[in-house]
Amino acid sequence: MSQVMTWLTQRMLDLQKRSFYVVLRQTMIVLFPFALVGSFARVLRMALLDPQGFGGTILQVTKWLPHYQGLHTLVGSFESLTLGIIAVLAAYHAASETAALYKQDKQIAGTTGLLTYALLFLTQVSATGQLSITSGAFHMQSLLYGLGVGYVVGQIFRWWGRHLSVLTDEAIIARSFSALPAIGTCFVLCALIMTGMWLWGGAGKAQLVSLILGWEQHLVTGHWAWLGVIVLTLLTSLCQIIGLTGPLTMSNALSGSAFYENLAYALHHSNLQHVPNRFTDYTLYQSFGRFGGPGATLALIIAIVLVSRHRSTNMLAAWATIPTLFEVGLPLMIGIPLFLNPLYVIPFVVAPVVNVVVAALLIQMGAIIPAVYPVPLGTPGPLIAYLGTNGHWLCLMVGVLLLVLDVLIYFPFVRIADDVQEQLLIAKVTAEGGRRDAPKTN
């Protein structure tokens, strides 16, 4: 086991030195404060200021909080601003950091990355014929696109740009002109991509989404529904760790026909063991596979608190605890970061799948009953199955035990992450010491 951990540590050290991951780390550092503030705003709006939220239901905010609807709208707008701007900022800073890595003009590269990203989301308004940027540009799920666009733009500046260190009046003008080849290349590539997207058309995207949702519905119905939910849990976790929308995040578990069939059965029968749809995304994935959000990241916070030796990592986990407890995992996705982090792919995917498999087996054996009742928005993960079964205490026990199991799954990877961080710090200190000790030449 120690040999495996040593091998993984070395592979991660090698990976962290690659330009893409250097840029990723620097960009995530810039984005983290916005993700943290936006996540707290989301928790406040969803769990407290919404009358159907977890805290709003318990505290009955409609009875004592004046102007709660206005506050709900205000906080929601602030949430949309802070979280919606993240993908745009990722395009700017990824381009800027990539260009800086190769001693190129980071300011012009960052601006070009931002403009290129915005151009890719241009669409024509049918009523007026004018162009506007679609709302998809201001969505957390576009973070991967923003980062990718910024990195590619930075690489173009690496090959086409020219660094000018002396900023005289003539040099500033020359600096602007020297960036034109790189800017032109970015915009030409952007125009080619936009042409391809225009030829494909919005109908093609709608058909693809419809195909995925239809395929999902097919998987979670019939005798093999439990296996379908396991497969979709696996695919959803893989998609989310690379910043994409997974199949189980495209649909609303509380609006499907299976959910309403189960709810109708529960309203007329006292025994929930025989609901018509025992294995659905709500009874398995939403109830047991999302403790803290995607990847069961509530377990990661506990593992960090118990295992990590680094003050900065523990501080990050402390700040992320409240949002993660209410199923908002963005601070960890960007702060650790889990986003595009190959080290955490295994626990991020395995923990939800293990939870879903264990829950499916227990439901099949009759040890626990499926969750059929809707729960308030922002309900902490381990309580979803308990409240969704109207207080079945075995579901609460299973939820707690699965959370402990998830913590054990995350343990070795937190230790490896600690070792990688220590090795990087040692390498940085050694490099800085070598530069200070280097002999000066006239």
Side-chain angles (χ1 to χ4, degrees), residues 8-38:
L8 281 174
T9 301
Q10 187 58 49
R11 296 289 76 76
M12 284 302 301
L13 280 170
D14 295 339
L15 197 62
Q16 293 293 324
K17 297 174 183 176
R18 295 184 178 273
S19 63
F20 179 79
Y21 282 95
V22 172
V23 171
L24 174 66
R25 187 167 62 248
Q26 295 298 324
T27 304
M28 294 298 107
I29 290 173
V30 175
L31 299 183
F32 174 70
F34 299 96
L36 183 64
V37 172

Side-chain angles (χ1 to χ4, degrees), residues 176-350:
S176 301
F177 279 104
S178 68
L180 288 178
I183 295 173
T185 303
C186 293
F187 289 170
V188 168
L189 288 176
C190 182
L192 292 175
I193 295 173
M194 290 173 64
T195 302
M197 294 170 63
W198 178 76
L199 291 175
W200 183 30
K205 181 179 179 180
Q207 290 176 359
L208 178 61
V209 173
S210 177
L211 178 65
I212 293 174
L213 291 177
W215 175 67
E216 174 198 344
Q217 188 64 29
H218 176 73
L219 278 178
V220 297
T221 54
H223 182 70
W224 296 96
W226 60 273
L227 181 59
V229 176
I230 293 172
V231 171
L232 291 175
T233 299
L234 173 66
L235 293 176
T236 298
S237 299
L238 286 173
C239 287
Q240 289 176 328
I241 201 167
I242 63 174
L244 297 178
T245 301
L248 291 183
T249 53
M250 285 185 178
S251 64
N252 187 345
L254 300 181
S255 62
S257 59
F259 174 79
Y260 285 112
E261 288 175 5
N262 285 350
L263 184 59
Y265 181 92
L267 295 176
H268 294 87
H269 302 81
S270 58
N271 187 1
L272 300 183
Q273 291 283 3
H274 305 293
V275 294
N277 303 285
R278 293 187 298 168
F279 307 114
T280 68
D281 54 338
Y282 183 67
T283 62
L284 295 177
Y285 177 68
Q286 302 293 340
S287 298
F288 295 100
R290 282 180 51 88
F291 294 161
T297 47
L298 182 60
L300 174 57
I301 287 183
I302 299 173
I304 289 173
V305 171
L306 296 177
V307 173
S308 179
R309 304 180 298 273
H310 289 277
R311 181 174 176 272
S312 59
T313 306
N314 278 278
M315 183 181 297
L316 189 152
W319 277 101
T321 298
I322 292 179
T324 305
L325 184 64
F326 292 97
E327 304 288 283
V328 180
L330 291 177
L332 288 179
M333 292 296 295
I334 292 179
I336 293 294
L338 297 175
F339 176 68
L340 293 178
N341 190 336
L343 174 61
Y344 282 108
V345 168
I346 294 176
F348 193 90
V349 172
V350 169

Side-chain angles (χ1 to χ4, degrees), residues 16-277:
Q16 293 293 324
K17 297 174 183 176
R18 295 184 178 273
S19 63
F20 179 79
Y21 282 95
V22 172
V23 171
L24 174 66
R25 187 167 62 248
Q26 295 298 324
T27 304
M28 294 298 107
I29 290 173
V30 175
L31 299 183
F32 174 70
F34 299 96
L36 183 64
V37 172
S39 297
F40 272 99
R42 176 172 291 182
V43 169
L44 183 61
R45 173 192 61 82
M46 180 177 63
L48 181 62
L49 295 178
D50 194 317
Q52 296 180 346
F54 181 73
T57 302
I58 295 175
L59 300 176
Q60 297 182 330
V61 294
T62 58
K63 295 184 177 180
W64 58 268
L65 183 63
H67 310 295
Y68 75 90
Q69 291 179 330
L71 289 173
H72 181 275
T73 302
L74 179 63
V75 174
S77 300
F78 183 75
E79 171 200 342
S80 299
L81 176 63
T82 51
L83 297 184
I85 202 69
I86 283 181
V88 181
L89 293 178
Y92 177 87
H93 285 285
S96 175
E97 294 294 341
T98 305
L101 198 62
Y102 299 103
K103 310 301 181 183
Q104 299 298 322
D105 195 315
K106 60 183 296 183
Q107 288 87 1
I108 296 180
T111 305
T112 305
L114 190 151
L115 291 175
T116 303
Y117 174 80
L119 286 172
L120 289 174
F121 284 90
L122 277 182
T123 187
Q124 188 175 30
V125 181
S126 57
T128 62
Q130 295 179 341
L131 295 176
S132 65
I133 300 175
T134 64
S135 60
F138 307 101
H139 197 284
M140 270 299 303
Q141 299 298 339
S142 298
L143 177 59
L144 177 63
Y145 305 126
L147 186 68
V149 167
Y151 183 73
V152 170
V153 169
Q155 289 293 335
I156 291 174
F157 269 78
R158 171 191 179 185
W159 295 108
W160 290 88
R162 184 163 62 93
H163 179 68
L164 298 172
S165 56
V166 181
L167 296 182
T168 61
D169 291 342
E170 292 79 6
I172 292 175
I173 297 174
R175 169 189 178 189
S176 301
F177 279 104
S178 68
L180 288 178
I183 295 173
T185 303
C186 293
F187 289 170
V188 168
L189 288 176
C190 182
L192 292 175
I193 295 173
M194 290 173 64
T195 302
M197 294 170 63
W198 178 76
L199 291 175
W200 183 30
K205 181 179 179 180
Q207 290 176 359
L208 178 61
V209 173
S210 177
L211 178 65
I212 293 174
L213 291 177
W215 175 67
E216 174 198 344
Q217 188 64 29
H218 176 73
L219 278 178
V220 297
T221 54
H223 182 70
W224 296 96
W226 60 273
L227 181 59
V229 176
I230 293 172
V231 171
L232 291 175
T233 299
L234 173 66
L235 293 176
T236 298
S237 299
L238 286 173
C239 287
Q240 289 176 328
I241 201 167
I242 63 174
L244 297 178
T245 301
L248 291 183
T249 53
M250 285 185 178
S251 64
N252 187 345
L254 300 181
S255 62
S257 59
F259 174 79
Y260 285 112
E261 288 175 5
N262 285 350
L263 184 59
Y265 181 92
L267 295 176
H268 294 87
H269 302 81
S270 58
N271 187 1
L272 300 183
Q273 291 283 3
H274 305 293
V275 294
N277 303 285

